[in-house]
């Protein structure tokens, strides 16, 4: 028997596939069992309740930071902040009893038909594992894993489809969303690289303070 809990909030982010392949080859008897036997990454459109006001009326604006934050996925400690707008579906599922090599997490896409697309502002990601036949645990039934959200700007569409595509590259998440019913029909794309590039360009183009002139006596 091999038991592993190398399951992250995003299901595969603790390298469970390679760990279990190696453990299975070296330790598992011919009629042995693996727990969990399957692991999946799930996704669901949701409405995330967020606080946008600064504490105690502090007179500062956070638009710049908020715009950058769209490009980073984040864990939600309080699940009550999330209202799921559809049932979670599997983006990727792996049978750890049979898998022989790691799986590229590219082009994972799903589509949901929603009564009100404009209410969605995140796609919530979670983990699901099948411990044994008929025994399943997922993010929504346990406190061990936290949902992770991919944010996006709400799309002004009532009843329609919401399309979501996710690519994971070296633990960096890149995602896009679109609704065919939207006027433009264009995709919104997000990646941490957008935020890094924005900060770098803004820092480079920021006006620099001039050094104060000094006289020969050293006075300013």
């Amino acid at each position: 028997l091999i038991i592993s809990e190398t399951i992250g909030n995003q299901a595969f982010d603790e390298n469970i596939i390679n760990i279990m392949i190696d453990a299975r080859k070296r330790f598992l008897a011919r009629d042995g069992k693996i727990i969990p036997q399957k692991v999946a990454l799930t996704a669901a459109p949701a409405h995330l309740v967020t606080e946008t006001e600064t504490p105690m009326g502090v007179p500062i604006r956070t638009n710049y930071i908020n715009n950058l934050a769209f490009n980073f996925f984040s864990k939600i400690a309080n699940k009550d902040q999330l209202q799921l707008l559809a049932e979670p579906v599997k983006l990727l599922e792996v049978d750890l009893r049979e898998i022989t090599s790691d799986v590229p997490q590219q082009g994972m896409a799903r589509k949901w038909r929603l009564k009100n697309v404009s209410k969605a502002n995140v796609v919530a990601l979670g983990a699901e594992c099948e411990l044994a036949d008929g025994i399943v645990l997922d993010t929504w039934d346990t406190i061990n894993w936290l949902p992770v959200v991919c944010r996006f700007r709400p799309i002004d569409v009532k009843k329609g489809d919401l399309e979501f595509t996710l690519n994971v590259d070296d633990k960096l998440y890149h995602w896009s969303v679109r609704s065919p019913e939207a006027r433009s029909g264009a995709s919104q794309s997000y990646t941490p690289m957008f935020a890094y590039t924005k900060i770098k360009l803004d820092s480079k183009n920021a006006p620099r303070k001039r050094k104060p002139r000094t006289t020969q006596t050293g006075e300013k």
Side-chain angles (χ1 to χ4, degrees):
L1 177 68
I2 295 177
I3 301 175
S4 178
E5 202 285 311
T6 47
I7 304 170
N9 292 303
Q10 299 94 56
F12 301 104
D13 52 313
E14 292 186 10
N15 202 30
I16 189 170
I17 295 177
N18 289 322
I19 289 173
M20 294 298 268
I21 290 173
D22 179 64
R24 195 181 69 211
K25 289 179 179 178
R26 294 195 290 143
F27 305 126
L28 191 62
R30 182 173 299 177
D31 58 348
K33 301 294 183 181
I34 287 178
I35 298 177
Q37 58 188 25
K38 292 182 181 179
V39 175
L41 174 66
T42 66
H47 175 74
L48 174 65
V49 179
T50 58
E51 294 293 338
T52 57
E53 295 183 0
T54 53
M56 299 181 65
V58 177
I60 60 173
R61 295 182 180 274
T62 59
N63 292 344
Y64 185 85
I65 296 175
N66 290 339
N67 287 332
L68 293 178
F70 274 103
N71 294 284
F72 295 93
F73 67 92
S74 55
K75 290 181 286 189
I76 305 299
N78 182 3
K79 295 178 185 178
D80 291 337
Q81 287 183 272
L82 281 171
Q83 177 187 355
L84 297 187
L85 304 177
E87 289 296 317
V89 296
K90 295 174 183 177
L91 291 175
L92 176 64
E93 184 177 47
V94 170
D95 191 327
L96 297 172
R97 299 167 297 182
E98 301 175 355
I99 190 76
T100 57
S101 61
D102 205 353
V103 180
Q105 298 179 49
Q106 302 291 321
M108 297 180 288
R110 288 293 182 271
K111 179 172 67 175
W112 298 272
R113 187 72 174 175
L114 302 180
K115 294 180 179 179
N116 186 357
V117 176
S118 65
K119 193 171 183 179
N121 59 4
V122 299
V123 171
L125 304 179
E128 179 183 294
C129 66
E130 183 181 287
L131 303 179
D133 293 342
I135 303 176
V136 177
L137 279 179
D138 67 25
T139 293
W140 309 104
D141 296 328
T142 177
I143 60 172
N144 293 319
W145 304 312
L146 297 176
V148 176
V149 297
C150 298
R151 303 171 186 263
F152 59 90
R153 292 173 177 81
I155 303 170
D156 188 17
V157 170
K158 293 299 181 182
K159 187 175 182 179
D161 292 333
L162 180 68
E163 300 175 355
F164 173 71
T165 302
L166 177 67
N167 295 285
V168 182
D169 181 19
D170 194 24
K171 294 189 177 181
L172 289 179
Y173 280 58
H174 317 269
W175 65 93
S176 63
V177 296
R178 70 181 291 268
S179 176
E181 288 81 8
R183 289 183 179 180
S184 67
S187 296
Q188 297 183 32
S189 296
Y190 300 93
T191 170
M193 297 310 299
F194 290 164
Y196 296 145
T197 302
K198 174 68 173 171
I199 293 173
K200 186 174 181 179
L201 288 174
D202 288 351
S203 299
K204 183 178 180 180
N205 297 328
R208 298 181 180 179
K209 292 183 179 181
R210 296 181 178 179
K211 294 182 179 180
R213 295 181 179 179
T214 57
T215 64
Q216 291 182 353
T217 60
E219 295 178 354
K220 293 183 179 178

